[in-house]
Amino acid sequence: VGDNGTILTSDNGTEWTARTSGTSEKLNRVAYGDGRYIAVGENATYKYSDNASSWSQSKTSGNVHFNDIEYFGNSIWGGAGDYAHKTRQNVVGDQFSSDPITEDQSSYFFKNYNGLTIGDDIILVGEEGFIAWSPDYMSFWTKDGGTSKNLRGTVHGNSIYVIVGDNGTILTSDNGSTWTSRADGRTDNLSEVTFGNNTFIAVGDNGTIRTSSDNGTTWDNRTSGTTKFYGVTFGKNTFIAVGDNGTIRTSSDNGTTWDNRTSGTTVNLRGVGF
C-alpha cells in the first residue's frame, strides 16, 4: 500500500497487480488476519477486503492519521495513530473505537504513535522514545527504552521484541519492560522491522537494510541499490521491502541479497503485509 490510495497485490512477490482502493488518501500499513486484509492511512482511512482484490469504503471519519494496524487474534484488531490515538475493532461484533490513551496522564502518553506489535503482550511505540506495554490493549504502562529518538516500528519474533527508529535506534527486549540498545554507530533512520526464518530485518533511509540472526543482538548491513524504504514483511519464505517511487525489493536468502521487482507505479509505497 502507498500514496494516493495505492494498493498492489501479488501471490509470489514478483508480479504485482494494481487494485482499486476507492480512496486517494495515503495508505501507511496493511495487515492480514482471520481471512481479512485491513489497510489504514491518513485522515482515519480504514479499508478492508476479504480477497485483496475488492476493497470496502472506509468505516471511520476524522483527521487522525492511522500509522499501523495489527491483528490480535479472536477477530480483534488494533491500530496506532497520530495525536495519541489507538484504535480497536471487534470484527464479529462490528464494534470500532478510536480514542486517545488516558490511563496515564503524563505528557509521555500524548505523542504520535507509529507502530505496534503483539507477542505475549502488546507493545506500542511512537515519538520521542515512547514505549507503552499492555496486556490487553485497554490498560497501558509506559516503559523506558533509554532513548528520546522517534521510534517507528516494532515486531515480535522468537520470544524477542525489537523496536527500530530514528538515528539507527534498535532496541530489544524479552519481556517488553526492560530494553537494551543494539545501536552500533550507524545513524540512518529505520522505518520498520519484521521477522521470519529466525531472522529480523529492519529497513529505512538511504536504502538501509539491516539483518540479524541472533535475536537482534548484532546486525549486518545489506546492499539494496535504492533510496528509502518504509515497509517490510515476510511470507512464503520471502522478505519484501517497499519504498520511494514504487520500489519493491525481494529476498529469498534471509536478506543477504535483494532483487528488484517492477511495481508498475512511481508513487511511494508505505507498507506491505502477508
Side-chain angles (χ1 to χ4, degrees), residues 43-62:
N43 295 312
T45 301
Y46 168 98
K47 313 284 290 186
Y48 70 86
S49 174
D50 295 334
N51 57 20
S53 299
S54 57
W55 292 79
S56 73
Q57 294 298 313
S58 292
K59 293 176 64 65
T60 61
S61 61

Side-chain angles (χ1 to χ4, degrees), residues 185-201:
R186 295 184 175 94
T187 58
D188 287 320
N189 295 337
L190 298 173
S191 302
E192 185 61 293
V193 59
T194 195
F195 177 81
N197 273 356
N198 292 312
T199 303
F200 289 95
I201 293 187

Side-chain angles (χ1 to χ4, degrees), residues 127-218:
E127 290 183 337
E128 299 177 15
F130 172 86
I131 302 172
W133 173 93
S134 173
D136 55 11
Y137 215 51
M138 301 295 288
S139 300
F140 293 81
W141 288 263
T142 55
K143 300 300 179 180
D144 184 7
T147 181
S148 61
K149 302 298 182 182
N150 293 336
L151 303 177
R152 304 289 181 182
T154 179
V155 74
H156 182 264
N158 208 24
S159 300
I160 298 293
Y161 295 96
V162 175
I163 296 173
V164 299
D166 288 358
N167 204 230
T169 299
I170 300 176
L171 307 173
T172 66
S173 174
D174 60 5
N175 56 22
S177 294
T178 304
W179 294 86
T180 300
S181 173
R182 304 299 184 180
D184 57 7
R186 295 184 175 94
T187 58
D188 287 320
N189 295 337
L190 298 173
S191 302
E192 185 61 293
V193 59
T194 195
F195 177 81
N197 273 356
N198 292 312
T199 303
F200 289 95
I201 293 187
V203 299
D205 290 359
N206 300 314
T208 296
I209 297 177
R210 309 200 61 197
T211 68
S212 174
S213 57
D214 59 2
N215 281 346
T217 302
T218 61

Side-chain angles (χ1 to χ4, degrees), residues 73-141:
N74 297 320
S75 298
I76 303 295
W77 293 76
D82 285 0
Y83 317 125
H85 273 67
K86 62 181 178 68
T87 65
R88 185 181 179 96
Q89 186 197 21
N90 184 323
V91 174
V92 172
D94 199 26
Q95 299 169 332
F96 187 92
S97 65
S98 179
D99 48 59
I101 293 175
T102 57
E103 282 82 355
D104 185 322
Q105 295 300 315
S106 73
S107 61
Y108 212 43
F109 266 104
F110 296 94
K111 310 295 183 184
N112 290 339
Y113 303 157
N114 297 317
L116 76 163
T117 193
I118 182 169
D120 294 329
D121 301 292
I122 297 164
I123 300 297
L124 186 66
V125 302
E127 290 183 337
E128 299 177 15
F130 172 86
I131 302 172
W133 173 93
S134 173
D136 55 11
Y137 215 51
M138 301 295 288
S139 300
F140 293 81
W141 288 263

